[in-house]
Amino acid sequence: MNGRHLPLTWPGRLRKSAAQAGQNVYSLLDAAAFVATAQLDLSDYAAAPDFTALSFYKIFGFPDLGALIVRKDAGQVLLERPYFGGGTVDMVINDIEDPWHATKQGTLHEALEDGTPAFHSIAALHCALDVHSRLYGSMENVSQHAARLAAALYRRLSSLTHANGTPVCTIYKGQKSDYDHRQTQGPTLAFNLRTSRGAWVGKSRFERLAILNGIQLRTGGVCNPGGIAEHLELSAKEMRLNYEEGLRCGNGFDELNGKPTGIVRVSFGAMSSMKDVDAFMNFVGLFVDRGSRLAAALPPPGLTSSHSFDPATLMQKHSEPVSDHGCQAESHEDKIAEVQRLENNGQEKSYAIQVSTPRVKCPIVRCSKVFPNEEQLWSHFETHRARRRGFWAFIRGLMGRVNA
């Protein structure tokens, strides 16, 4: 879920403990994400997994191929499957009373390649390997490069705070993971954002704004319910309740019962650069409340003492001029409607602050329109989408005329 690297010694330990217990146990390593930016070493036969799945698409972008690496001692278990596909059998008898088929007895892959192999993609894979080697030299180079970018983004997100000191990001990582050590952590960050008052920023909203700003990332449960449950502290009962309340994969239910339902995830690869890190930080800056007098005056969430701040100081801060910090999707309008002093049992004093409706500025690059509420802002986004659709329609029409 978050790029944590699990120990590659586990398959060997599992095989050894299973043998001692007289059990027949096989291990499968899903290395699809790992091999995109790291060198997978299977030279230690005793420690290697029985089966290793990987994706060439995640390494090169093209072709759309995957691979299954099989430890020879474990290959026989794959031949015990009760079904078959075209190209993997030498004889088939379609007798109703006594059906029978003979699996190919040559190499293992011949018995497993159901149907016609993707020979065009297989031919393209040779080119992908050559180009990748020519551009980057080795997977070690890619690993070091991607790790530096992830570590840089982790440090910058970790130190990002609102005007009142509230952290902007809640980052989810393993207890033993360290972004300065590639053996424990991959170039991936999983996190959620909070406003200056501690409210969660919806992951779906964050993703839509990212797309409009030319940033591609992943949000949601990322096909990892176990990791989501652990890091978002969701019990089995809470996850069942979320489902009953309508939560489905990708349906925009960002928060239920005070907890987020998913995460935002950012990953780096061979073609990523420090410009990507800078661009992403500029985008996250749209959600940082840097100049709101209200955020600067109030204490961070959790400081609940009635004497945590002085209302006189608060009013003084609100009378001081504040410079315009540009596009801020989460900042409040600096205007206090009313300050009420409440008496609690005639002794303890506390102060409640009511703020007028926030004004929000369009966070799209080169757009400076301001709206009185988020509903009107989202309606305005449709204008940007329509312009983008119109642009590509124009390009398609132009290409059609050229081809004609």
Side-chain angles (χ1 to χ4, degrees):
M1 188 199 84
N2 52 13
R4 175 192 172 194
H5 283 175
L6 300 174
L8 294 179
T9 57
W10 281 2
R13 292 172 54 191
L14 174 65
R15 184 179 301 113
K16 183 177 180 180
S17 61
Q20 293 174 347
Q23 298 175 335
N24 201 15
V25 179
Y26 298 93
S27 58
L28 168 64
L29 171 64
D30 180 0
F34 179 84
V35 298
T37 56
Q39 179 71 51
L40 178 61
D41 185 2
L42 299 178
S43 59
D44 187 351
Y45 177 79
D50 295 302
F51 309 101
T52 303
L54 56 89
S55 169
F56 294 116
Y57 160 76
K58 289 192 175 183
I59 303 174
F60 310 119
F62 178 84
D64 300 329
L65 284 177
L68 178 66
I69 303 174
V70 181
R71 193 171 181 268
K72 291 182 178 180
D73 287 352
Q76 184 61 33
V77 71
L78 297 179
L79 300 179
E80 297 175 3
R81 60 179 186 167
Y83 60 91
F84 66 91
T88 64
V89 291
D90 287 326
M91 176 62 70
V92 177
I93 299 178
N94 295 321
D95 186 80
I96 296 178
E97 296 181 357
D98 188 21
W100 178 83
H101 69 273
T103 305
K104 285 188 175 181
Q105 299 299 314
T107 60
L108 178 64
H109 71 85
E110 288 181 329
L112 298 177
E113 291 176 349
D114 298 310
T116 304
F119 51 87
H120 286 153
S121 295
I122 293 174
L125 180 59
H126 180 74
C127 297
L129 290 165
D130 288 344
V131 171
H132 191 276
S133 178
R134 188 166 64 250
L135 289 176
Y136 309 115
S138 67
M139 289 304 298
E140 177 64 19
N141 294 338
V142 173
S143 179
Q144 293 181 7
H145 170 70
R148 282 195 296 268
L149 299 180
L153 181 61
Y154 173 74
R155 287 191 291 268
R156 293 170 69 172
L157 287 178
S158 300
S159 61
L160 200 60
T161 60
H162 293 289
N164 63 348
T166 303
V168 175
C169 295
T170 299
I171 300 177
Y172 309 109
K173 73 181 193 69
Q175 294 182 351
K176 297 182 179 180
S177 295
D178 187 342
Y179 280 92
D180 291 324
H181 293 86
R182 290 177 291 147
Q183 293 77 14
T184 64
Q185 178 64 46
T188 299
L189 287 93
F191 59 92
N192 273 310
L193 272 67
R194 288 181 179 269
T195 68
S196 58
R197 298 307 302 148
W200 296 105
V201 175
K203 56 180 172 33
S204 300
R205 172 188 174 194
F206 186 86
E207 182 181 24
R208 290 195 294 268
L209 289 175
I211 293 173
L212 290 172
N213 281 276
I215 297 174
Q216 301 297 323
L217 43 78
R218 186 174 182 182
T219 64
V222 297
C223 300
N224 195 320
I228 292 295
E230 176 186 357
H231 290 281
L232 301 185
E233 298 180 353
L234 294 169
S235 66
K237 182 179 180 180
E238 287 175 313
M239 295 185 73
R240 177 66 66 88
L241 180 61
N242 287 350
Y243 178 82
E244 293 175 351
E245 292 188 6
L247 177 64
R248 299 295 186 273
C249 181
N251 68 352
F253 278 60
D254 294 336
E255 180 181 340
L256 289 172
N257 302 311
K259 293 183 179 182
T261 60
I263 61 167
V264 178
R265 190 168 74 181
V266 176
S267 301
F268 295 100
M271 298 184 68
S272 304
S273 69
M274 192 57 69
K275 289 184 178 180
D276 297 325
V277 176
D278 295 335
F280 185 72
M281 287 303 303
N282 289 335
F283 170 68
V284 174
L286 303 176
F287 296 84
V288 180
D289 193 347
R290 303 183 190 278
S292 169
R293 280 184 285 259
L294 179 61
L298 292 177
L303 298 180
T304 56
S305 171
S306 59
H307 300 287
S308 298
F309 61 93
D310 181 8
T313 304
L314 174 66
M315 294 304 296
Q316 181 181 1
K317 289 185 178 182
H318 277 266
S319 64
E320 298 171 354
V322 175
S323 59
D324 184 9
H325 288 267
C327 303
Q328 296 182 25
E330 287 300 323
S331 53
H332 298 273
E333 182 183 10
D334 297 315
K335 186 185 296 183
I336 286 189
E338 184 179 1
V339 177
Q340 295 178 333
R341 193 172 90 171
L342 307 177
E343 297 289 338
N344 184 9
N345 297 327
Q347 297 178 354
E348 190 175 357
K349 299 177 182 179
S350 61
Y351 302 89
I353 300 175
Q354 298 178 356
V355 185
S356 62
T357 303
R359 292 176 60 84
V360 287
K361 189 173 182 180
C362 178
I364 307 301
V365 179
R366 296 184 298 277
C367 183
S368 58
K369 293 185 179 180
V370 179
F371 302 89
N373 54 58
E374 291 190 356
E375 287 72 18
Q376 293 189 23
L377 173 63
W378 284 110
S379 297
H380 168 68
F381 285 155
E382 293 300 326
T383 303
H384 289 286
R385 294 191 181 97
R387 289 174 180 171
R388 180 169 294 186
R389 288 193 296 267
F391 171 76
W392 287 113
F394 168 76
I395 293 298
R396 287 192 294 269
L398 180 62
M399 294 303 295
R401 289 193 295 271
V402 170
N403 293 333

